Amino acid sequence: MATIAIYSLKGGVGKTTLAVNLAWCAASLSARRTLLWDLDAQGAASWMLHAGPARQPASALFQKDVDPAKLVQPTAVARLDLIAADASLRDLDRQFHELDRKKRLRKLVESAARDHDRVILDCPPGLGDTADQAIRSADLIVVPVIPSPLSARAYAAVTDHVGARRPILPVFVMVDRRRALHRAALTAHPAWPVIPMASAVEQMADRRAPIGTYARASPAATAFADLWRHIEQRLAG
Ligand SMILES: Nc1ncnc2c1ncn2[C@@H]1O[C@H](COP(=O)(O)OP(=O)(O)OP(=O)(O)O)[C@@H](O)[C@H]1O
Ligand SMILES: [Mg+2]
């Protein structure tokens, strides 16, 4: 089993979009038994994957002695399961802080994903205790970076924060090659994977489905698939 955290200190940079599509790639293209764990109180990934009503609030996992496997639900995608988020995760940073057990999430992931090969964590933005727990849980940290000076600063803050603890894979997202700034950023980091800006990606919120289910041959879907293959190689290497 391998855990991949999709993380950035910045909000609105494409974490959830990456998480949902990479989870779809893992389940559909690599036939991995995949668990997407939505750790963001906004619950965007849960909504996108049509999460059903939960038997317990999502925060019960962090507060009570609940078997995390009980919160795992199937999705419409074969081999893709979900632990959904809800508003009870609003103050997850504080909940983790008060727990004062640095490997709590890691232990929960291990027991939730007993029957899974790949776990994808959709993290909320920030550098707080939730981020720390996700970093400690992950074998690889995928960081979406919009090619802009501000995102580059945020990426530097992430690498500082993670340090040598875990491998990090930066990914350029929402790339528009017509923009000089974007082209310059790509030239500065030629090895970073690239996900283009695409209306097919924006449509995910409308269709409530991973892009691979409705625009599989699109350049954006192909870019997510290439990124997933790259991640599998990193995990194997
Ligand atoms: N490659 C892309 N092309 C076009 N739009 C994109 C792309 N990636 C993300 N978006 C759009 O950008 C917005 C933010 O994306 P997303 O919700 O994935 O970010 P996030 O980092 O998870 O945000 P938050 O910090 O609020 O959780 C969404 O409207 C999404 O549709
Ligand atoms: Mg998100």
Side-chain angles (χ1 to χ4, degrees):
M1 194 264 278
T3 303
I4 301 131
I6 316 298
Y7 169 65
S8 170
L9 119 86
K10 268 177 84 70
V13 292
K15 297 181 294 296
T16 297
T17 302
L18 270 182
V20 169
N21 288 308
L22 291 177
W24 182 86
C25 290
S28 300
L29 303 180
S30 298
R32 300 282 195 191
R33 295 167 306 168
T34 306
L35 175 65
L36 175 59
W37 192 330
D38 187 350
L39 289 166
D40 188 345
Q42 296 176 91
S46 308
W47 181 80
M48 206 95 82
L49 292 170
H50 302 262
R55 280 182 282 177
Q56 307 243 21
S59 63
L61 276 177
F62 307 105
Q63 290 162 355
K64 300 185 201 152
D65 212 8
V66 176
D67 178 1
K70 290 212 170 108
L71 274 94
V72 175
Q73 53 174 289
T75 69
V77 177
R79 293 175 294 274
L80 177 56
D81 293 336
L82 172 73
I83 296 182
D86 58 38
S88 70
L89 300 182
R90 241 178 351 246
D91 57 351
L92 190 55
D93 269 348
R94 186 187 55 78
Q95 293 173 43
F96 275 131
H97 193 74
E98 285 174 2
L99 264 174
D100 196 26
R101 283 155 67 192
K102 294 192 184 316
K103 290 187 177 166
R104 174 71 168 161
L105 181 63
R106 190 188 172 94
K107 297 241 160 64
L108 287 170
V109 166
E110 280 163 9
S111 78
R114 285 185 296 255
D115 299 322
H116 295 88
D117 312 305
R118 295 287 178 262
V119 178
I120 312 256
L121 303 176
D122 185 17
C123 300
L127 285 175
D129 283 59
T130 308
D132 258 321
Q133 294 269 347
I135 290 163
R136 282 173 210 277
S137 308
D139 299 287
L140 178 67
I141 299 164
V142 174
V143 182
V145 180
I146 299 171
S148 78
L150 271 180
S151 295
R153 277 195 70 218
Y155 176 66
V158 170
T159 53
D160 263 7
H161 189 63
V162 175
R165 287 189 285 172
R166 293 289 184 278
I168 303 178
L169 175 63
V171 177
F172 280 128
V173 297
M174 302 192 219
V175 170
D176 180 353
R177 289 177 200 267
R178 289 170 306 186
R179 298 193 196 178
L181 207 61
H182 285 207
R183 289 197 306 272
L186 266 56
T187 306
H189 301 286
W192 293 12
V194 173
I195 306 289
M197 172 76 95
S199 56
V201 178
E202 278 170 320
Q203 281 173 35
M204 283 174 65
D206 214 26
R207 296 183 179 252
R208 293 182 66 189
I211 186 171
T213 63
Y214 61 86
R216 194 166 176 159
S218 65
T222 308
F224 286 116
D226 289 346
L227 171 59
W228 177 252
R229 271 192 294 276
H230 183 95
I231 289 171
E232 283 281 1
Q233 279 165 10
R234 280 283 290 261
L235 294 172

